[in-house]
Each structure stands twice: as C-alpha cells, then as structure tokens.
Amino acid sequence: MTVDEIMKVIDYNNFDVTFSGGDPLFQLDEVTNLAREIKRGGRNIWCYTGYKWEVVSKDARYSSLLENIDVLVDGPFVLAKRDISLLFRGSDNQRLIDVRKSLDNDRVVEWTM
C-alpha cells in the first residue's frame, strides 16, 4: 500500500498508530515516511523495537523517525522475563519510553499514563 492509501484507512477509522513486528526499524525509510504523514494528521504513534534506546537514540539514521514517535517500546521480548501484569509490553526488560522527553533530556524518560 502507498502512504496515501494507508492514511485514508487511518483517517477513516480515526486511529492512533502502533508500529510493531517484525521490527519496524528494518524498514526505516518507509516507516519514517509514514510516521511523518501520521504526525501531520495529529495522531499519536507508538513503535515497538527489539533495539535498545541507547542504540537507537545515538544513531543518526533513526533521528527522523524518533522525531515523529511518541512512545518507543524498546528491547526484545524475553520469554524468561515474561510478565503478563505489565502494561503494553510482554517482558520486564522492555521499557515504555517517552521519546520527546528523552530526547530533550538526553536520558531515558519512561512514559507514564
């Protein structure tokens, strides 16, 4: 699908958006282009990745995507750390990161409801 086709579905259904598995960062250019359009529409974007914030935030290739992401759920799912009581993640090594606050403070700031 084109970005325009996807945006029509998002707008029609009044969706916020979550990018998830396979790892969205493996399709960086496409996901970044889509994220820009979604943010132009004023929507919230979450992104799940197996990469850690400390890697993604220091790599210039990801900066354009991060500028358009609200929450990054970082780290791989680890079965041995599985915890079904956690909100929005499957294992306790994963973090819910407030991207804007983390970029502004140059450190991880966890997202809270």
Side-chain angles (χ1 to χ4, degrees):
M1 294 177 73
T2 67
V3 169
D4 288 339
E5 290 170 327
I6 294 169
M7 288 305 302
K8 286 179 185 174
V9 173
I10 292 168
D11 290 340
Y12 177 81
N13 290 287
N14 197 27
F15 287 154
D16 283 327
V17 175
T18 300
F19 297 138
S20 63
D23 196 309
L25 301 188
F26 291 166
Q27 299 179 48
L28 184 60
D29 292 339
E30 294 80 3
V31 171
T32 300
N33 290 336
L34 181 57
R36 281 189 192 113
E37 289 303 313
I38 292 167
K39 288 310 285 184
R40 281 189 193 132
R43 303 205 180 279
N44 186 277
I45 302 174
W46 283 45
C47 182
Y48 285 75
T49 182
Y51 293 106
K52 299 295 286 177
W53 170 262
E54 290 77 10
V55 172
V56 174
S57 65
K58 302 300 182 214
D59 190 327
R61 292 177 298 168
Y62 302 113
S63 62
S64 293
L65 176 60
L66 291 177
E67 291 170 7
N68 292 289
I69 299 296
D70 297 290
V71 176
L72 184 78
V73 183
D74 81 331
F77 170 76
V78 176
L79 186 58
K81 295 180 178 248
R82 180 176 179 246
D83 183 345
I84 62 170
S85 71
L86 297 171
L87 290 176
F88 310 119
R89 59 198 189 275
S91 57
D92 69 9
N93 62 297
Q94 296 172 307
R95 298 174 291 184
L96 305 175
I97 298 173
D98 184 314
V99 174
R100 177 59 29 222
K101 288 180 182 177
S102 296
L103 290 172
D104 289 347
N105 291 287
D106 197 30
R107 66 175 177 80
V108 171
V109 176
E110 294 203 28
W111 176 86
T112 57
M113 291 178 73

